[in-house]
Amino acid sequence: MDETSYRDRIDQLVEPGERVLAYVKADAAKGAAPAAPSDAAEPAAPAGRLSGGAILFNLISPLVSWGWGDRLVDRMLWGVAGRGAPGSAASRLHHALHPPRPDLAVRDTLLAVTDGRLLACVSGPMKLLSSREDDDRSVAGTGIAWSAARAEVASARVGWHRLNPKRLRIDFTDGSWLAFTVPIAESGRPLRAVAAALSG
């Protein structure tokens, strides 16, 4: 898919007179994430304490899932991908990108920085073997999932995390933070452009 079509779509989504400074197609980093907002619907957790068997099942089969075990496995395998109290900026952003009842469709995540806001956009559903028309429908279905004023962003930087040299960490003024990555084979230049736009 031609990623410049996303730029055209983002230009359509921003307010009149709002200027897009940078954007990147990136995914929220894997790992332990901020707590969900308190008003978010969460899957029901099993009653009682979870045993080591629950953690083992989480490791052996991704189809067997317990929330507490998932978080522990994420922390062990991927590390920490974000922190924040329920309702913090990072919590709301992560929840907007990962709703509690996903439709299981594959979607692209885009971060865009304008002269006034940080936007998190989500594309329309995508197909694995797609035609040009399918790609156009996916881009046309792109919408803003979350936004925040630039004043809510304390800092942004790209750096190493474990073996990945391209991880964007966005820190918010409420003390929360969330990380984003691009595939290792892709350039980190768009991530650095977003970090520079947020820090500038």
Side-chain angles (χ1 to χ4, degrees):
M1 176 187 299
D2 179 17
E3 291 188 24
T4 57
S5 55
Y6 278 131
R7 173 58 192 258
D8 295 338
R9 179 60 181 152
I10 292 169
D11 285 337
Q12 295 169 2
L13 294 172
V14 298
E15 300 290 331
E18 193 173 17
R19 195 166 48 95
V20 177
L21 304 176
Y23 80 101
V24 64
K25 185 175 87 168
D27 291 317
K30 291 182 174 27
S38 55
D39 60 347
E42 294 243 12
R49 287 185 74 184
L50 294 174
S51 66
I55 297 168
L56 183 61
F57 275 123
N58 277 90
L59 285 168
I60 292 171
S61 174
L63 300 176
V64 180
S65 174
W66 285 278
W68 185 82
D70 286 341
R71 288 188 296 277
L72 184 61
V73 170
D74 283 346
R75 184 178 288 267
M76 289 184 329
L77 294 179
W78 305 104
V80 178
R83 286 222 166 103
S88 64
S91 165
R92 289 180 283 116
L93 171 53
H94 189 267
H95 183 72
L97 298 176
H98 299 93
R101 293 182 185 88
D103 59 6
L104 302 179
V106 175
R107 300 172 190 270
D108 281 340
T109 301
L110 302 130
L111 295 177
V113 182
T114 72
D115 45 11
R117 295 186 292 167
L118 167 64
L119 307 173
C121 302
V122 177
S123 75
M126 296 170 32
K127 294 182 178 177
L128 183 61
L129 299 173
S130 62
S131 66
R132 177 70 181 173
E133 292 78 25
D134 293 331
D135 289 346
D136 290 344
R137 272 195 296 277
S138 178
V139 170
T142 301
I144 298 173
W146 178 90
S147 70
R150 291 272 302 276
E152 289 185 55
V153 178
S155 66
R157 63 187 179 279
V158 176
W160 280 85
H161 175 73
R162 297 194 177 178
L163 298 176
N164 188 349
K166 296 174 284 194
R167 185 164 118 149
L168 169 67
R169 176 175 159 155
I170 300 174
D171 290 273
F172 297 97
T173 54
D174 62 6
S176 65
W177 63 272
L178 194 62
F180 293 85
T181 60
V182 294
I184 293 289
E186 290 185 17
S187 171
R189 185 173 293 142
L191 280 179
R192 290 190 288 276
V194 165
L198 285 171
S199 301

